Each structure stands twice: as C-alpha cells, then as structure tokens.
Amino acid sequence: GGHKTEEGSADSSLAEARPNTVAPHDVVLACWSLYRQPSLDDCLDRILTAADKGFVLVDSPGGVPPHRRIVLEATDGAFPHPPPRHAYYCAALADRGVYPAVQIESAPRVRHAPSRSTLLDKLLGEQIADPDEYAEALSPWVCETDGGWTYRYELPIAVLSWTTPTARSDISQR
C-alpha cells in the first residue's frame, strides 16, 4: 500500500490519511463487501453511525452454485462451502440492539463461452482434471445459444434491511 518515496520505501501516509469514518447518509448500502473488512464490529458500528434512515446489506446465505457443488463432490469437499454470512451480521447487529428484516431472494447468474468445452473449462478447469467429464451433470444449466454456450443458474442472496427508529417515526407521522 501507499506510494514509493524517493528512497524507495513504501509511504503509508496515504492509508493513514484516509478517515476511518463514513459521512452521514440517508441509507447505507453494502453489497458483498462486509466479509472483506478487517473488523466486522468496527464496520457495522460505522454503518450504524452513518445511516441516518437505515441500511441495506446484501450477502450470501451460503448458497453453492451447481458447478461448485460438482467440484465439492469431485474433490471430496476440498473446496469449502461458503458460510451463511448474513447470520453473522444478524448476530453482530443483535448485540447492538438492531434487528434487521431478512429476506432471501434469488439472483440469476450467467456465464458465456464460445464452446461447451471452453465453458466447462472456465467453470471447472482449475479444480477438475477433465471438465468435459461433467458435461452431463451440468446439462440442466447449460445450453447452446447463437453466440456459443451459456451457463445459467439462480444464486440465493440475503438482503438485510433496517430503518432507524427516528426514520420509522417520521414515516408513521405522515
């Protein structure tokens, strides 16, 4: 991180100069980003401080797409199943007296490739020696299109939403 000084050492002043606060916003939106934070507690505290009217958090409820399920089965689970991160967020928010509404939605995911073999290699190639061996297993989600081959599946997503008490009272007084 940082930029190089004349002596060639990294200068961390850029990272240190970046404030560790978030300016107030009506609504804070965080999608698939909280798991990347060094401290979930600090991040949630900053979100709650910045959210004048509420927040929306979007992340994984732990769903595994079809191609990842095949990899898990073929490698005896060598590639871990994702955790239901939204449950961690709910628990950490409950510790703060905040209880968001949770909805599990479905989001379409699509991948394209010029050939079936190329598509299978893109989906499975790093973990599976012969991806073409698994063409039949993926056939419900793979089809030939005018531009090549398409892999389409639905991925569950968790949407956590919360409205601040002051915003709720503002709405009820209208």
Side-chain angles (χ1 to χ4, degrees), residues 2-97:
H3 65 280
K4 297 286 183 180
T5 62
E6 288 182 26
E7 296 82 31
S9 63
D11 178 5
S12 63
S13 64
L14 292 177
E16 292 168 7
R18 193 170 142 213
N20 198 18
T21 59
V22 178
H25 287 72
D26 284 348
V27 176
V28 175
L29 173 64
C31 300
W32 290 282
S33 58
L34 298 187
Y35 72 96
R36 298 173 187 255
Q37 300 302 311
S39 168
L40 178 60
D41 288 327
D42 290 346
C43 180
L44 291 174
D45 287 341
R46 289 193 314 269
I47 287 172
L48 291 172
T49 300
D52 286 341
K53 295 183 180 177
F55 64 71
V56 176
L57 310 177
V58 179
D59 213 315
S60 171
V64 178
H67 66 284
R68 296 298 297 160
R69 273 188 246 124
I70 288 171
V71 169
L72 286 168
E73 291 169 14
T75 60
D76 295 323
F79 296 92
H81 186 286
R85 291 190 295 256
H86 75 295
Y88 299 140
Y89 306 155
C90 286
L93 288 163
D95 288 344
R96 291 159 174 75

Side-chain angles (χ1 to χ4, degrees), residues 72-173:
L72 286 168
E73 291 169 14
T75 60
D76 295 323
F79 296 92
H81 186 286
R85 291 190 295 256
H86 75 295
Y88 299 140
Y89 306 155
C90 286
L93 288 163
D95 288 344
R96 291 159 174 75
V98 174
Y99 301 92
V102 178
Q103 288 181 268
I104 305 298
E105 302 287 339
S106 185
R109 295 289 189 253
V110 179
R111 307 250 328 247
H112 302 284
S115 70
R116 184 177 81 164
S117 183
T118 302
L119 180 62
L120 293 172
D121 193 51
K122 284 170 68 173
L123 295 171
L124 307 170
E126 291 181 19
Q127 298 90 14
I128 304 291
D130 184 9
D132 288 315
E133 254 183 67
Y134 296 89
E136 184 63 32
L138 282 175
S139 64
W141 302 278
V142 175
C143 66
E144 189 171 12
T145 59
D146 291 338
W149 286 78
T150 299
Y151 170 58
R152 182 182 316 271
Y153 64 96
E154 297 285 322
L155 185 67
I157 60 170
V159 180
L160 286 67
S161 59
W162 179 71
T163 306
T164 64
T166 53
R168 281 193 295 272
S169 73
D170 289 347
I171 292 168
S172 67
Q173 291 176 6

